[in-house]
Amino acid sequence: MENRVERSNIQSETTVALRQDQYLYGSASGISIPRPLSVPVPPSGLVDQLRFLAGEVYGILFVLVSTAYIFAMPTSLTRPGQLKAMVNGFLKRALDIVGAATGIILCFPIWLVIPVLIKLDSPGPVFYTQARVGVNRRRRDRRAWQKAGVDNRRDADRRSEDYMGKPFQVIKFRTMVQDAESKSGPVWARKNDPRITRLGLLMRRTRLDEVPQFINILMGDMSLVGPRPERPHFVRDLSTRVTNYTERLDVRPGLTGLAQVENGYDLSVDSVQQKVRFDLEYIRTWSIWSDVKILARTVVVVVTGKGAC
């Protein structure tokens, strides 16, 4: 009896009684979709067959490229702006290689004449090499991934001395007397510097002493356009005295640059501060077109001797 009462309560709560005249009986019918009358005919003409083949090849290539992108593309290149930076870097390096190779060919007579004149002018070697500080790559992650089971060699790879950039040997035609800094140590060149030879003064005014640095460009230590590389001694000193000095090491140093065509050689800390402003402006507004314009202005500097010591 109790079960019947509970069942009646439930039905009364979940059902609604309708009168017979409030609903009507009916029937449902579906919509018939006509089937195609014929199977699609494959392309018969030569043009249609070529279009069909091209579509198939395009589809296969799309699948292959998509698969390669998913599984082979480094994660670092998928970051916003990273692919554009890689393309710009490729274009700049291509300009460096083509420009340096062209410069070596065009300057072939200089390679023959200048060494003879240097030997006749003063005793000592023809070429002069000096340690300079290049681009700072330590700010980037040198290992995007580490293979399992291989020990981390970061500590072993670290340099014993931090130069704030990659050190390299710059190559120049000798413009000073032999062992010019044996007594004074590293010092800046200055106006009417007695250490500069007669031929060296002419080469500095025309920038001919920089011609061997085309080799540094081909080796990848330098670029055609960029901040001038400085010696480790001055980099350590100026990084504590000039604001944002180390930021000029974010790019590869150059044979010429905006600071060189505007400011000339370094003569004091004040001139270095001005040069750093030009260097940072160049880095911030860089483009291939800006490199081309600076190279064109460098020709004027070479002809007029502007900013030479």
Side-chain angles (χ1 to χ4, degrees), residues 67-78:
T67 304
Y69 178 84
I70 294 172
F71 292 100
M73 179 66 72
T75 306
S76 58
L77 295 183
T78 61

Side-chain angles (χ1 to χ4, degrees), residues 2 27 34 41 43 81-82 87 91 113 137 145 162 196 212 217 245 254 263 269 293 297 301:
E2 294 179 357
S27 61
V41 179
Q82 191 67 25
V87 173
L91 294 176
V113 176
R137 300 188 184 278
W145 55 274
D162 184 13
I196 301 177
I217 295 174
Y245 182 84
N263 204 52
V269 175
K293 290 191 294 185
R297 294 180 62 184
V301 172

Side-chain angles (χ1 to χ4, degrees), residues 130-133 163-164 181 184-189 195 229-242 245-246 248 266 269 272 275:
Q130 192 177 65
R132 298 292 177 96
V133 178
Y163 294 101
M164 302 182 186
E181 295 182 339
S184 62
V187 293
W188 277 320
R195 301 172 301 167
E230 192 53 85
R231 287 185 278 181
H233 169 81
F234 292 126
V235 170
R236 286 191 294 266
D237 178 45
L238 295 173
S239 63
T240 61
R241 303 169 62 185
V242 178
Y245 182 84
T246 56
R248 63 193 299 272
D266 296 338
V269 175
V272 172
K275 181 178 72 174

Side-chain angles (χ1 to χ4, degrees), residues 72-141:
M73 179 66 72
T75 306
S76 58
L77 295 183
T78 61
R79 299 171 184 170
Q82 191 67 25
L83 186 59
K84 180 181 179 181
M86 184 180 68
V87 173
N88 288 338
F90 173 80
L91 294 176
K92 185 172 177 63
R93 183 58 184 156
L95 177 64
D96 290 341
I97 294 175
V98 174
T102 304
I104 291 176
I105 295 173
L106 295 179
C107 295
F108 181 74
I110 295 176
W111 292 94
L112 299 178
V113 176
I114 293 297
V116 176
L117 296 179
I118 291 176
K119 282 295 186 181
L120 295 175
D121 183 62
S122 63
V126 172
F127 297 101
Y128 176 68
T129 60
Q130 192 177 65
R132 298 292 177 96
V133 178
V135 61
N136 181 12
R137 300 188 184 278
R138 292 284 177 166
R139 296 185 180 183
R140 303 177 184 177
D141 187 4

Side-chain angles (χ1 to χ4, degrees), residues 175-176 188-198 200-202 204-205 265-267 307-309:
T175 59
M176 292 188 177
W188 277 320
R190 56 187 183 274
K191 293 288 185 180
N192 301 320
D193 196 323
R195 301 172 301 167
I196 301 177
T197 63
R198 292 172 297 177
L201 183 61
L202 175 62
R204 280 175 168 258
R205 286 178 177 175
Y265 284 100
D266 296 338
L267 300 175
C309 289

Side-chain angles (χ1 to χ4, degrees), residues 12 17 43 64 80 114-115 142 205 296:
S12 64
L64 293 177
I114 293 297
R142 295 181 297 119
R205 286 178 177 175

Side-chain angles (χ1 to χ4, degrees), residues 3-272:
N3 293 336
R4 292 180 180 177
V5 173
E6 292 178 359
R7 187 176 304 153
S8 63
N9 292 337
I10 294 174
Q11 290 178 351
S12 64
E13 293 176 359
T14 58
T15 59
V16 177
L18 297 177
R19 293 185 307 179
Q20 186 173 1
D21 58 354
Q22 290 182 335
Y23 60 90
L24 299 174
Y25 293 98
S27 61
S29 61
I31 301 175
S32 61
I33 301 176
R35 296 182 178 181
L37 299 178
S38 61
V39 180
V41 179
S44 57
L46 178 60
V47 176
D48 293 337
Q49 290 180 355
L50 291 177
R51 289 178 179 175
F52 177 80
L53 180 61
E56 293 295 318
V57 173
Y58 176 80
I60 295 174
L61 290 178
F62 177 79
V63 173
L64 293 177
V65 172
S66 301
T67 304
Y69 178 84
I70 294 172
F71 292 100
M73 179 66 72
T75 306
S76 58
L77 295 183
T78 61
R79 299 171 184 170
Q82 191 67 25
L83 186 59
K84 180 181 179 181
M86 184 180 68
V87 173
N88 288 338
F90 173 80
L91 294 176
K92 185 172 177 63
R93 183 58 184 156
L95 177 64
D96 290 341
I97 294 175
V98 174
T102 304
I104 291 176
I105 295 173
L106 295 179
C107 295
F108 181 74
I110 295 176
W111 292 94
L112 299 178
V113 176
I114 293 297
V116 176
L117 296 179
I118 291 176
K119 282 295 186 181
L120 295 175
D121 183 62
S122 63
V126 172
F127 297 101
Y128 176 68
T129 60
Q130 192 177 65
R132 298 292 177 96
V133 178
V135 61
N136 181 12
R137 300 188 184 278
R138 292 284 177 166
R139 296 185 180 183
R140 303 177 184 177
D141 187 4
R142 295 181 297 119
R143 291 182 176 88
W145 55 274
Q146 184 74 25
K147 184 181 293 186
V150 178
D151 294 334
N152 193 334
R153 298 177 54 190
R154 289 178 184 266
D155 294 336
D157 290 343
R158 294 187 186 279
R159 306 187 189 104
S160 58
E161 186 175 357
D162 184 13
Y163 294 101
M164 302 182 186
K166 179 185 177 182
F168 69 97
Q169 294 292 323
V170 70
I171 309 172
K172 302 177 67 175
F173 285 127
R174 182 175 58 84
T175 59
M176 292 188 177
V177 297
Q178 189 174 9
D179 300 327
E181 295 182 339
S182 58
K183 296 181 180 179
S184 62
V187 293
W188 277 320
R190 56 187 183 274
K191 293 288 185 180
N192 301 320
D193 196 323
R195 301 172 301 167
I196 301 177
T197 63
R198 292 172 297 177
L199 179 62
L201 183 61
L202 175 62
M203 288 193 294
R204 280 175 168 258
R205 286 178 177 175
T206 57
R207 301 300 202 278
L208 291 178
D209 60 320
E210 313 284 359
V211 168
Q213 292 174 34
F214 285 130
I215 299 175
N216 289 115
I217 295 174
L218 291 179
M219 294 174 61
D221 295 324
M222 295 178 59
S223 177
L224 281 176
V225 183
R228 282 297 296 170
E230 192 53 85
R231 287 185 278 181
H233 169 81
F234 292 126
V235 170
R236 286 191 294 266
D237 178 45
L238 295 173
S239 63
T240 61
R241 303 169 62 185
V242 178
T243 304
N244 299 327
Y245 182 84
T246 56
E247 292 185 13
R248 63 193 299 272
L249 302 176
D250 289 347
V251 298
R252 189 180 283 116
L255 176 63
T256 185
L258 181 62
Q260 283 67 54
V261 298
E262 293 285 354
N263 204 52
Y265 284 100
D266 296 338
L267 300 175
S268 63
V269 175
D270 292 336
S271 65
V272 172

